[in-house]
Amino acid sequence: MLFTSYSFLAFLLILFLLYYIVPKKCQWVLLLIAGYVFYAHAGWECFLFIGVTTITTYGVGLLIDRNHNQQKAYLAENKASLSKEEKKAYKEKQKNKRFALMVVCLVLNFGILAVLKYTNFAIANINGILEMAGSEKVLAFQDLILPLGISFYTFQSMGYLIDIHRGKYSAQKNLFKFALFVSFFPQLIQGPISRYDDLEKSLFAQHAFDWHTISFGLQRILWGFFKKLVIADRMLIGVNALIGDTQTYTGFYVFMGMLFYALQLYADFTGGIDITIGIAQTLGIPVQENFIRPYFSKGIKEYWRRWHISLGSWFTDYLFYPISVCKPMLKISKWSRKLLGEHIGKRVPVYAASIAVWFVTGIWHGAAWNFIVWGLGNCFFIMLSQECEPLYDKFHARFQVKDKTWFKAFQIIRTFLLMSSLRMLDCYRNVPMTFKMFGSMFTDWNVKEAITVGMWNLGLGAHDYIILLIGVLLLFMVSMLGRRGSVREMIARKPAWVSVAVFGTVFIATILFGAYGMGYDASQFIYNQF
């Protein structure tokens, strides 16, 4: 059930009506039912996997939480009789029990994700090795289903479990409430990946009808549909044409495709997140922002603090820090400092953890080498930038251009082009082909042909380019205004007719200029595949 389908709009309308009619204490129950109805449209067989994740995480979370409480009670009761060494030994024993429980649950659930998502990728690579070795034997590919949103709900659930293990908060005692946290439908297919303590209070609370909140949610939903249908799906036509014919579309065409895809991906992904956040807001449930104007970033590290924020923070909290401060890594760091010197040795844990994080980030996006290379490419440029910081400092100390508007613009354009270049690996889905097409931008000087003739053969007419130009300019204006606060709040402070005019125009534009396809077959959101 795609967000842009008629069936989803009908589903949403019925849910909104029922949500504020049923007794308020039953609202969370209705959301749980709605989540499973939504999930049922992806196939009943998928329930097995989300059910296993829900039940095992819930059960292990309770066991770990109970152990925490038992430890506190035991130490309090025997405070006077236990020696310092006995207390330490007891704590260590209980800690190991909790850790073992957590590891079993993590291995089970990440194992399910790995088997379903990466089995055929592993088989393809094994077959490639066998072929290189001259073997005629090949392994058969497996016909495995990939359940809807498995990457998102697995990461969200495992984050909850790790937080319980760390003692950040107590485990949820109600299985059905925990099931709602796992299956909250607006964020199930493309995030954001929420933390339990961020959602707990509002997700299970009672919500009264509040027109101000609901209207703001509806406005956010409308803006998401505009970005998706008017901009992203129209841009998709040109992107498919440019990357679909690598013989014809080389040189400047590749640069056009790179820019088209950057705009399409931004409008598509942020449009989906806008719809998610808007739906949640109409239900009285705040969901964290997942983007903060990433294309205004002046460096790659800043970019990744603004793009897909929930995924980046998940990897930072649950992968980067545990790897960089674990005992084996500290031993490696100590050894490397002696062998390689303080300057290099102290960087080993950070860079080892960074490489691991970016490898996982790449393969999370897709079971293919292009995504792995994309992830490691981001890692390379981030580490290169960090190593060059002393040079940057010397440069800025001498030339004093850091605060100049033109230099900030240069940094933004540089970062945008670099990230767009790396994202070509996502476009062509083939590593050698990506490098070949990237190289053609500097060898095939067909700018005049592309601008005068080629751009009109991509399936986009003059009216499409005009609509895209206006849409992109509108995105830019909203982003610029957003630097000063909520655009919706700014509009709300104006006379009522201004709000009606603005959102009425956006609504009509979405209806008239949305790229619906034959029979209203809107394209799937890009991040649905992850």
Side-chain angles (χ1 to χ4, degrees):
M1 195 190 303
L2 298 178
F3 277 2
T4 51
S5 66
Y6 283 141
S7 57
F8 180 76
L9 294 177
F11 164 80
L12 211 55
L13 178 60
I14 293 171
L15 174 63
F16 286 163
L17 293 175
L18 292 177
Y19 189 74
Y20 290 107
I21 292 175
V22 300
K24 291 182 177 60
K25 64 180 181 180
C26 298
Q27 286 176 325
W28 72 268
V29 179
L30 178 64
L31 288 181
L32 176 61
I33 295 170
Y36 281 116
V37 169
F38 177 83
Y39 206 74
H41 277 259
W44 289 99
E45 63 275 12
C46 297
F47 274 107
L48 170 65
F49 302 103
I50 196 172
V52 168
T53 296
T54 301
I55 293 171
T56 57
T57 308
Y58 167 78
V60 173
L62 284 179
L63 291 175
I64 292 174
D65 192 44
R66 183 185 303 167
N67 183 276
H68 272 299
N69 294 331
Q70 289 174 346
Q71 176 180 309
K72 291 177 183 177
Y74 179 81
L75 292 174
E77 291 172 4
N78 299 277
K79 184 178 181 180
S81 60
L82 292 173
S83 67
K84 185 177 180 181
E85 289 73 19
E86 288 173 329
K87 289 179 181 178
K88 184 178 179 181
Y90 175 77
K91 287 180 180 179
E92 188 67 23
K93 182 179 179 181
Q94 299 308 311
K95 179 181 177 182
N96 291 336
K97 285 182 180 179
R98 294 192 297 269
F99 183 76
L101 285 168
M102 180 186 70
V103 168
V104 169
C105 193
L106 291 176
V107 170
L108 172 64
N109 285 284
F110 281 127
I112 292 172
L113 174 63
V115 168
L116 296 179
K117 194 169 183 178
Y118 304 111
T119 294
N120 285 329
F121 175 62
I123 290 174
N125 283 280
I126 292 171
N127 286 342
I129 295 171
L130 291 174
E131 184 180 348
M132 289 173 61
S135 173
E136 295 182 358
K137 294 181 180 179
V138 293
L139 300 178
F141 289 102
Q142 303 300 307
D143 185 19
L144 300 173
I145 64 170
L146 188 62
L148 177 70
I150 186 172
S151 294
F152 290 101
Y153 74 67
T154 300
F155 273 48
Q156 184 160 299
S157 302
M158 295 305 98
Y160 162 87
L161 184 69
I162 296 170
D163 285 343
I164 296 295
H165 175 262
R166 292 174 175 175
K168 185 178 180 181
Y169 42 73
S170 298
Q172 170 58 249
K173 304 302 189 292
N174 188 314
L175 172 60
F176 298 103
K177 286 186 176 180
F178 180 71
L180 172 58
F181 168 70
V182 177
S183 63
F184 185 47
F185 77 92
Q187 61 181 44
L188 189 60
I189 59 174
Q190 57 184 353
I193 303 170
S194 294
R195 308 295 176 91
Y196 178 76
D197 50 334
D198 290 335
L199 276 183
E200 178 187 15
K201 292 181 181 179
S202 60
L203 193 59
F204 311 128
Q206 300 179 19
H207 301 283
F209 185 91
D210 177 31
W211 174 244
H212 178 77
T213 301
I214 293 173
S215 64
F216 268 39
L218 293 174
Q219 291 165 11
R220 189 74 182 261
I221 293 171
L222 176 60
W223 180 233
F225 275 115
F226 176 84
K227 288 200 284 189
K228 168 62 175 172
L229 296 174
V230 177
I231 301 175
D233 285 357
R234 176 169 276 99
M235 194 74 78
L236 175 64
I237 298 169
V239 171
N240 284 342
L242 288 166
I243 68 175
D245 186 352
T246 55
Q247 295 296 320
T248 302
Y249 296 120
T250 61
F252 189 74
Y253 290 111
V254 178
F255 182 73
M256 289 173 56
M258 184 179 78
L259 298 183
F260 278 22
Y261 184 68
L263 295 171
Q264 182 216 342
L265 179 63
Y266 177 78
D268 187 284
F269 196 7
T270 62
I273 294 297
D274 285 333
I275 295 172
T276 292
I277 294 175
I279 293 171
Q281 188 170 14
T282 60
L283 302 171
I285 302 168
V287 174
Q288 72 172 103
E289 295 291 341
N290 215 22
F291 294 88
I292 305 176
R293 298 175 295 281
Y295 286 167
F296 287 90
S297 303
K298 294 185 285 293
I300 300 180
K301 286 183 68 175
E302 181 185 352
Y303 174 89
W304 282 108
R305 289 194 297 267
R306 293 165 169 253
W307 179 280
H308 209 339
I309 298 168
S310 62
L311 181 66
S313 64
W314 197 100
F315 279 127
T316 299
D317 293 344
Y318 302 122
L319 191 58
F320 177 82
Y321 287 129
I323 291 176
S324 59
V325 300
C326 68
K327 290 182 179 179
M329 188 57 69
L330 293 178
K331 290 180 180 179
I332 292 173
S333 175
K334 186 178 180 180
W335 172 81
S336 60
R337 289 184 186 203
K338 290 181 180 179
L339 184 67
L340 304 172
E342 185 71 18
H343 179 75
I344 298 177
K346 68 181 181 180
R347 285 168 164 74
V348 169
V350 175
Y351 287 164
S354 296
I355 291 170
V357 165
W358 282 105
F359 175 85
V360 176
T361 301
I363 204 166
W364 179 90
H365 280 81
W369 280 106
N370 61 291
F371 289 111
I372 295 173
V373 174
W374 168 82
L376 295 177
N378 278 277
C379 182
F380 170 77
F381 284 109
I382 289 174
M383 291 193 295
L384 179 64
S385 178
Q386 290 176 337
E387 290 299 324
C388 290
E389 282 180 0
L391 297 177
Y392 298 153
D393 293 338
K394 290 180 181 179
F395 174 84
H396 291 302
R398 180 173 181 179
F399 295 101
Q400 302 294 321
V401 296
K402 191 173 184 179
D403 295 325
K404 301 291 185 182
T405 302
W406 67 266
F407 187 75
K408 291 180 181 179
F410 161 75
Q411 290 178 303
I412 291 171
I413 294 171
R414 176 199 62 190
T415 304
F416 173 77
L417 291 177
L418 178 56
M419 298 310 300
S420 298
S421 298
L422 285 170
R423 212 176 281 117
M424 287 172 62
L425 287 157
D426 188 14
C427 288
Y428 292 102
R429 303 292 175 99
N430 180 286
V431 177
M433 178 59 69
T434 300
F435 282 101
K436 177 183 176 182
M437 301 307 290
F438 180 80
S440 75
M441 288 194 292
F442 305 96
T443 58
D444 192 356
W445 303 100
N446 53 356
V447 178
K448 183 177 180 180
E449 173 198 330
I451 294 177
T452 57
V453 180
M455 65 181 292
W456 306 107
N457 296 324
L458 303 178
L460 297 171
H463 67 287
D464 292 305
Y465 286 112
I466 292 172
I467 292 170
L468 286 172
L469 177 61
I470 295 172
V472 171
L473 287 175
L474 186 57
L475 281 182
F476 179 78
M477 289 171 56
V478 170
S479 295
M480 292 297 289
L481 288 171
R483 300 167 71 180
R484 296 188 293 174
S486 169
V487 176
R488 287 173 295 170
E489 289 284 1
M490 295 178 194
I491 296 173
R493 288 193 290 268
K494 302 292 183 180
W497 69 266
V498 175
S499 180
V500 172
V502 169
F503 292 106
T505 300
V506 175
F507 177 78
I508 293 171
T510 304
I511 296 296
L512 294 180
F513 303 123
Y516 303 109
M518 293 298 294
Y520 190 78
D521 183 21
S523 299
Q524 173 175 285
F525 283 89
I526 293 174
Y527 263 70
N528 284 17
Q529 64 187 296
F530 303 139

